[in-house]
């Protein structure tokens, strides 16, 4: 009985660790510059399978705006 519990626990841990290693972009944010109707600074916020692109305010009074929401997948070292 102990052996089955240990094997089950190790299997669950392996699945969780494998899933986290597969998507290293999740829960990260990247700042950069894009050319839209003008050059602007943006932040790309990565989630499990979604990217949200936010504007970076030019001044303190300007507000951050959601510009676009995109979906993505990763397989090995390929990002689509």
């Amino acid at each position: 009985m102990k052996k089955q519990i240990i094997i089950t626990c190790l299997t669950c841990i392996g699945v969780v660790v494998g899933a986290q290693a597969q998507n290293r972009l999740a829960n990260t944010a990247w700042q950069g510059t894009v050319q839209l109707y003008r050059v602007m600074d943006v932040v790309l916020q990565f989630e499990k399978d979604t990217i949200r692109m936010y504007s970076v305010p030019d001044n303190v009074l300007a507000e951050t705006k959601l510009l676009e929401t995109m979906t993505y997948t990763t397989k090995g070292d390929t990002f689509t």
Side-chain angles (χ1 to χ4, degrees), residues 8-55:
T8 302
C9 288
L10 290 175
T11 303
C12 290
I13 291 170
V15 168
V16 169
V17 169
Q20 289 176 348
Q22 196 171 27
N23 189 356
R24 295 181 183 172
L25 291 174
N27 302 317
T28 64
W30 298 67
Q31 186 169 350
T33 304
V34 296
Q35 173 73 47
L36 298 172
Y37 54 91
R38 65 180 175 91
V39 176
M40 63 186 334
D41 293 328
V42 297
V43 172
L44 297 174
Q45 185 176 28
F46 288 83
E47 297 173 5
K48 181 180 177 184
D49 60 355
T50 306
I51 305 169
R52 288 182 170 58
M53 183 169 61
Y54 295 94
S55 63

